[in-house]
Amino acid sequence: MNERQRRAPRRRAWAWACAWAIAAASLHPAAAQAQTPTIRIGYLEAMSGPFASAGTTALKHFQMVIDDINQRGLAGPYRIELKVYDNKGTPQESLSMFKAATDAGLQVLTNSQSATLLALMDAIGKHNARHPEQRVMMLNPSGGDPALTNANCSFFHFAFDANVEMKMEGLTTMIQADPSIKKVYLINQNYSQGMQVSQTAKEYLARKRPDIAIVGDDLHPLIQVKDFSPYVAKIKASGADTVITGSWGTDLTLLIRAAKEGGLKTKFYTFYAGALGAPVAMGDSAVGAVRQITEWHRNLVPNNAAKWADDYARRFDADFYALRINNMMYMFAEAVRRANSDDPLRISYALEGMKWTGPTGDLEMRGSDHQIQQPLYISTVRHIASRGGPKDVVHDSDKSGYGFSTDMRIEPYVAARPTTCRMERPPRPAAP
C-alpha cells in the first residue's frame, strides 16, 4: 500500500466530518438566520422626548407582528428586521435619521406622523431621483393628512390608516343622524393633520348638517400645553354640546382630564380616545359621551383578532390597539413574497392594488393613490359588562373598567373619498 492509498481513508473521514459540520450548522437557528436574505426596515419614530410613549408602544406592535411573519415564513425567502432610529418626534431630526438609514443601505422606512411624513417623502423623492439603484419606499401606519395621498402622493408611499377625510366622513355620518347635536366646538393640534381635521369637519358638517353651528375652532401647540383648563373654559362658555378632536397622545389625555375636572358635559367625537392613557383620564364622565373612529377595537363582535390581542397582553402587559400595523406588515410581507425580491420598486408594484382579507374583512391598497380602503368602526365608552355595562363590553382599556361598544360599522365604499393624486410611476421592472 503506497502513501496515497494510506491517506485515502483519512481524506474520506475528513470530508464526511466537514459535510456533517455544514449540515449541523445549517440546522442551527443562528446559522440559518445568517444565511437567510434580510429586509431591514428603518423605524423612524420618537423613542425619547414628549412623543416617546407613542413610539415605544408602536414598536411593541411591530416587534410582535414581525416575529410572527418570520416564524411563519410569510415573506417568502426573506426575513424582516426592524432597525430603530430615534427621530425625537421632529421633522428635522427625522431627516437626519433618514440620511443615517440610507447611508446604512436601508430601502424600506416607516413613520407615522403627518408633518414628518411630508418632509420625509420630499426627501425620498429627491433621493430616488438621484439614486434609482437604491430606491426607498415608505410604509405609513398612522399619518392621516390627506395631502399624503392627494397633492403630495408618491408611488413609494403607502398609507395603511384611514386618512382625516375618511374618518370625518364616518364621524359626520353619525352626527348627521343625531338631532340633539346643535353646536360643535373644534379643538385640534396645530400641525398639518390637526388643521385638516378642522377644515374637513367644517366642510362635511356644512354639507350634511348645515343647521349645526361651529361655535369654536382652536388649534393648540403640539405636545406643549400642560393645562387645558383655559380651553375647557372656552368650550363651556361657547355653549357647545359636542367637541370634535383629532388630537392624540398626551394632548388628548390632558384635554379629556381637564374636561372631566372642569365639569364639561359635552359629547366628544375623537380619532384616538382608545389610545394609551386616554380611558383612565376620562373616567365616568366619558361613559356614553366619548366616541372614537378606528379600524378595530377590543370589543368588536365578531372579534377575529381576539387571540392576537390576548397574546399581546400576555407578552407586553399592555393593550393591543393598532390593528393597522398588523395589516400593514402582513400586506408588506405578502408583497415581498409575490415580488420574490427585496427591491422597493418590485415590492411597490406588488403592493399597489393588493386585496387582502384581514380580521375585519376585505382591505384594498387603492392603486390610484396608495390609500388603504377598509371598514371603520365608531364606538362609545361604556362600563364593562362586569360593572353593569353592555354585555358586549367584555374587555376594558388600560385596566380602567371602561371599554368601547360598537355603534356603527362604516363600510369601505362609504368612507372612501375621491383623490386628486397624479402619481408618477417608474417603469415596471421586467419579470425576474
Side-chain angles (χ1 to χ4, degrees):
M1 180 181 294
N2 59 32
E3 183 64 21
R4 182 175 181 180
Q5 291 172 321
R6 284 196 300 272
R7 291 181 179 177
R10 286 191 298 237
R11 284 198 298 269
R12 286 195 294 271
W14 175 252
W16 276 105
C18 290
W20 275 108
I22 292 170
S26 68
L27 294 173
H28 193 279
Q33 181 175 327
Q35 295 173 9
T36 302
T38 298
I39 295 177
R40 295 179 296 160
I41 298 177
Y43 181 78
L44 276 63
E45 298 287 1
M47 306 305 293
S48 61
F51 299 93
S53 62
T56 54
T57 297
L59 179 59
K60 295 172 184 177
H61 285 62
F62 273 94
Q63 288 170 333
M64 187 158 163
V65 69
I66 288 174
D67 285 350
D68 185 61
I69 288 168
N70 290 336
Q71 287 166 10
R72 293 200 283 151
L74 299 182
Y78 292 91
R79 178 179 179 81
I80 297 174
E81 289 183 1
L82 204 67
K83 184 171 176 57
V84 178
Y85 291 87
D86 181 8
N87 72 358
K88 300 179 175 59
T90 70
Q92 296 80 8
E93 189 66 23
S94 295
L95 293 174
S96 296
M97 294 299 98
F98 168 75
K99 186 177 187 308
T102 53
D103 285 350
L106 274 67
Q107 293 180 265
V108 184
L109 305 176
T110 181
N111 179 266
S112 61
Q113 187 181 340
S114 293
T116 297
L117 281 162
L118 289 167
L120 284 171
M121 290 315 303
D122 181 64
I124 286 173
K126 294 173 181 175
H127 170 90
N128 289 352
R130 290 193 299 264
H131 305 286
E133 78 289 351
Q134 192 195 1
R135 292 185 176 99
V136 173
M137 66 183 296
M138 173 64 72
L139 304 176
N140 168 12
S142 294
D145 188 335
L148 289 161
T149 50
N150 284 286
N152 296 85
C153 67
S154 165
F155 178 78
F156 291 99
H157 168 267
F158 294 86
F160 287 86
D161 191 13
N163 67 27
V164 167
E165 292 178 346
M166 298 166 73
K167 291 182 180 181
M168 194 59 68
E169 183 66 34
L171 288 181
T172 53
T173 295
M174 189 164 185
I175 290 172
Q176 183 178 20
D178 185 351
S180 69
I181 297 178
K182 301 293 185 183
K183 297 181 178 181
V184 168
Y185 200 104
L186 308 175
I187 179 167
N188 291 284
Q189 294 156 319
N190 190 14
Y191 78 114
S192 59
Q193 181 167 305
M195 295 175 190
Q196 288 286 348
V197 173
S198 172
Q199 176 184 328
T200 306
K202 287 180 281 192
E203 290 177 1
Y204 287 23
L205 288 175
R207 170 165 54 90
K208 297 181 178 184
R209 283 285 306 275
D211 59 303
I212 289 178
I214 305 296
V215 295
D217 184 9
D218 281 333
L219 293 171
H220 61 80
L222 181 64
I223 314 293
Q224 294 181 34
V225 179
K226 304 302 181 185
D227 179 12
F228 276 87
S229 58
Y231 291 96
V232 169
K234 288 177 65 178
I235 296 171
K236 290 180 74 173
S238 74
D241 52 59
T242 301
V243 172
I244 296 177
T245 180
S247 295
W248 51 272
T250 56
D251 283 340
L252 179 62
T253 303
L254 293 174
L255 170 62
I256 293 178
R257 182 175 296 159
K260 175 186 174 184
E261 293 170 352
L264 180 62
K265 305 296 184 184
T266 63
K267 300 180 178 103
F268 273 81
Y269 281 76
T270 80
F271 287 7
Y272 304 110
L276 185 66
V280 174
M282 293 184 289
D284 265 356
S285 63
V287 175
V290 175
R291 293 181 170 88
Q292 66 171 354
I293 184 164
T294 56
E295 77 281 359
W296 178 87
H297 68 85
R298 188 67 177 88
N299 292 304
L300 205 59
V301 179
N303 198 336
N304 296 322
K307 184 181 183 304
W308 183 273
D310 290 342
D311 291 345
Y312 182 92
R314 281 190 290 270
R315 177 170 174 177
F316 296 112
D317 190 28
D319 291 345
F320 178 72
Y321 172 70
L323 182 68
R324 56 187 175 271
I325 292 177
N326 280 29
N327 294 340
M328 180 176 84
M329 292 310 303
Y330 285 130
M331 290 180 73
F332 173 75
E334 174 62 13
V336 171
R337 188 193 69 79
R338 293 183 187 182
N340 194 28
S341 172
D342 59 359
D343 176 11
L345 179 60
R346 293 182 182 276
I347 296 170
S348 294
Y349 267 111
L351 189 52
E352 180 178 83
M354 180 186 291
K355 295 181 180 179
W356 184 76
T357 300
T360 62
D362 294 335
L363 286 70
E364 179 181 356
M365 178 52 67
R366 190 164 66 180
S368 58
D369 59 352
H370 295 182
Q371 169 64 63
I372 198 73
Q373 305 297 303
Q374 62 183 339
L376 298 173
Y377 297 87
I378 300 176
S379 55
T380 300
V381 176
R382 304 288 181 187
H383 288 288
I384 58 173
S386 61
R387 296 189 181 184
K391 64 180 181 179
D392 65 306
V393 188
V394 178
H395 302 280
D396 61 358
S397 300
D398 288 347
K399 302 176 183 178
S400 63
Y402 310 100
F404 287 85
S405 177
T406 302
D407 299 305
M408 181 183 293
R409 173 181 162 113
I410 309 295
E411 297 297 338
Y413 72 88
V414 175
R417 309 307 303 144
T419 181
T420 60
C421 175
R422 296 293 181 267
M423 189 180 292
E424 294 184 11
R425 288 176 172 79
R428 186 185 291 271

